[in-house]
């Protein structure tokens, strides 16, 4: 009997596959190892249900390399107002890597309960207002904004990524309270440090939407991108690009640049532009994406 399913978890060489009405722990066919193919969480597979063997992995539309997750539809980029301070360069890299892989990203600003003023939240929001990403403001601690986020979560697989400690596992616990994830509180009993997420598991909500927690930050592969292509993934630059004097302007050191001009006139956020330049510089460095 052949059944179709999706890998929700990998543990010690076994893979849990969610079928229509069952979860089956399977081993992969030997040919995968021989061909150097590693089954991933998110993989759509065909399994022989009698022997519990993964027979076939359907073509992937994209994949996350660290951790390994396939077929991502949405990337939820989580930042916190503070503790830790937001790393917006990482946010921009994640937006870029998602866009390159045709994944829609959204920005989730967590821990708004820690903000001393509304300005702290607004200053982050302002950076992304015209980026094309939807921005959510939430507090996992107080439950604020969770319903709005839940309503907007699309069908398919949403992966949450971002710096360690921003509250990704806490958010998963708000969205999917049936199976608690460990969050980063220092365990009083063991005093062994924080519960950083280590394993990757796809959680299925009652309506079929799927969510994945990731450990620390993570990134998709964008190693094939050229510096001149980066601008195409900055939605807010698009209206200005054709007004630059030089064809192929990188909006860096070229004169008469409409993008730089727009930044100076306050039409484009300075921070996002400056980080765009940093990303261009990083692209010049060898194997830069692996250092993310
Ligand atoms: N004040 C406040 N604290 C929060 C909120 N959300 C999460 N935290 C706390 O932030 C800490 C880190 O939360 P986690 O959910 O473990 O963070 P994470 O992003 O999963 O971290 P990694 O697994 O290391 O990547 C924990 O102590 C949480 O209780 C929030 O909305 N407000
Ligand atoms: Mg976690
Ligand atoms: Zn330009």
């Amino acid at each position: 009997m052949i059944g179709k399913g999706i890998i929700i978890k990998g543990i010690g060489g076994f893979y849990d596959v969610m079928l229509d009405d069952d979860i089956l722990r399977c081993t992969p066919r030997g040919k995968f190892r021989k061909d150097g193919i590693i089954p991933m969480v998110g993989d759509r597979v065909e399994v022989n249900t009698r022997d519990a063997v993964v027979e076939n992995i359907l073509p992937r539309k994209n994949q996350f390399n660290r951790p390994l997750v396939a077929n991502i539809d949405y990337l939820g980029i989580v930042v916190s107002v503070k503790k830790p301070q937001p790393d917006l360069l990482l946010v921009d890299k994640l937006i870029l890597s998602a866009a390159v892989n045709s994944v829609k990203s959204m920005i989730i600003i967590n821990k708004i309960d820690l903000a001393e003023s509304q300005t702290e939240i607004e200053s982050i929001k302002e950076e992304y207002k015209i980026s094309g990403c939807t921005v959510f403001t939430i507090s996992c601690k107080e439950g604020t904004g969770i319903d709005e986020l839940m309503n907007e979560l699309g069908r398919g697989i949403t992966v949450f990524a971002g710096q360690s400690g921003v509250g990704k596992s806490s958010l998963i616990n708000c969205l999917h309270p049936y199976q608690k994830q460990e969050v980063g509180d220092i365990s009083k009993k063991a005093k062994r440090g924080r519960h950083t997420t280590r394993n990757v598991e796809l959680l299925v909500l009652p309506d079929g939407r799927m969510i994945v927690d990731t450990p620390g930050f993570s990134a998709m592969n964008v190693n094939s991108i050229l510096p001149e292509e980066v601008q195409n993934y900055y939605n807010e630059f698009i209206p200005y690009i054709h007004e630059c004097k030089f064809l192929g302007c990188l909006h860096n050191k070229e004169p008469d640049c409409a993008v730089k001009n727009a930044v100076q006139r306050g039409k484009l956020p300075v921070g996002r532009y400056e980080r765009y330049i940093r990303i261009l510089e990083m692209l010049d460095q060898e194997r830069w994406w692996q250092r993310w």
Side-chain angles (χ1 to χ4, degrees):
M1 271 287 285
I2 293 288
K4 276 194 179 174
I6 184 161
I7 297 181
I8 58 169
K9 192 175 170 181
I11 8 146
F14 291 91
Y15 295 93
D16 283 354
V17 177
M18 186 183 63
L19 301 162
D20 278 344
D21 49 5
D22 201 9
I23 292 171
L24 196 60
R25 185 154 293 180
C26 300
T27 50
R29 263 269 169 268
K31 66 172 181 190
F32 295 132
R33 183 186 289 245
K34 222 176 73 212
D35 297 344
I37 298 167
I38 306 168
M40 295 184 192
V41 165
D43 264 332
R44 292 172 200 278
V45 293
E46 288 172 347
V47 296
N48 179 329
T49 50
R50 207 188 49 203
D51 306 339
V53 167
V54 177
E55 294 283 351
N56 204 7
I57 299 173
L58 303 185
R60 293 172 184 145
K61 66 175 179 187
N62 56 37
Q63 71 180 64
F64 237 122
N65 281 348
R66 206 180 51 195
L68 289 173
V69 191
N71 300 318
I72 300 159
D73 296 292
Y74 301 94
L75 184 65
I77 303 168
V78 187
V79 280
S80 51
V81 173
K82 53 179 68 154
K83 292 187 179 173
Q85 287 297 328
D87 177 351
L88 299 187
L89 181 61
L90 175 65
V91 172
D92 291 2
K93 287 172 181 172
L94 286 168
I95 295 174
L96 176 64
S97 58
V100 169
N101 288 283
S102 309
V103 172
K104 204 173 151 38
S105 43
M106 54 197 164
I107 295 164
I108 301 159
I109 306 172
N110 186 28
K111 309 199 187 183
I112 57 168
D113 57 286
L114 296 180
E116 270 140 43
S117 69
Q118 192 61 26
T119 334
E120 271 180 80
I121 303 164
E122 287 303 320
S123 64
I124 308 174
K125 267 177 111 172
E126 278 295 312
E127 292 275 323
Y128 298 100
K129 214 168 65 184
I130 52 174
S131 68
C133 298
T134 315
V135 183
F136 296 93
T137 48
I138 65 164
S139 163
C140 294
K141 189 176 172 194
E142 294 178 346
T144 331
I146 302 293
D147 287 346
E148 287 83 348
L149 176 59
M150 189 68 154
N151 288 339
E152 287 299 315
L153 269 193
R155 300 211 64 79
I157 302 180
T158 300
V159 170
F160 293 101
Q163 293 153 268
S164 184
V166 291
K168 299 177 294 292
S169 299
S170 307
L171 172 58
I172 298 256
N173 286 342
C174 292
L175 298 175
H176 186 278
Y178 325 98
Q179 191 180 339
K180 287 270 183 231
Q181 305 295 302
E182 294 218 70
V183 299
D185 299 313
I186 291 166
S187 155
K188 285 202 185 81
K189 235 176 170 174
K191 288 229 165 85
R192 256 192 253 113
R194 301 167 13 124
H195 285 301
T196 283
T197 304
R198 288 203 170 80
N199 43 5
V200 183
E201 184 174 354
L202 194 147
L203 301 173
V204 185
L205 301 179
D207 62 7
R209 291 181 291 182
M210 293 170 275
I211 52 180
V212 184
D213 195 358
T214 64
F217 66 81
S218 26
M220 288 169 160
N221 234 338
V222 290
N223 52 353
S224 55
I225 194 172
L226 298 168
E228 55 270 33
E229 290 169 347
V230 176
Q231 56 182 297
N232 300 328
Y233 299 101
Y234 281 69
N235 271 342
E236 59 270 67
F237 290 4
I238 308 287
Y240 303 100
I241 285 173
H242 68 278
E243 291 169 16
C244 293
K245 183 171 174 190
F246 292 100
L247 197 68
C249 183
L250 290 175
H251 324 301
N252 190 4
K253 294 183 179 128
E254 300 88 343
D256 290 331
C257 168
V259 170
K260 255 191 300 187
N261 205 317
V263 175
Q264 277 152 12
R265 284 183 295 129
K267 300 276 183 200
L268 288 173
V270 183
R272 184 124 155 103
Y273 169 75
E274 286 175 347
R275 293 188 299 274
Y276 158 80
I277 298 294
R278 285 186 64 188
I279 288 177
L280 282 191
E281 288 164 1
M282 287 169 140
L283 268 176
D284 281 338
Q285 296 164 17
E286 197 190 0
R287 294 153 82 84
W288 63 289
W289 66 93
Q290 291 187 350
R291 288 202 288 271
W292 285 14

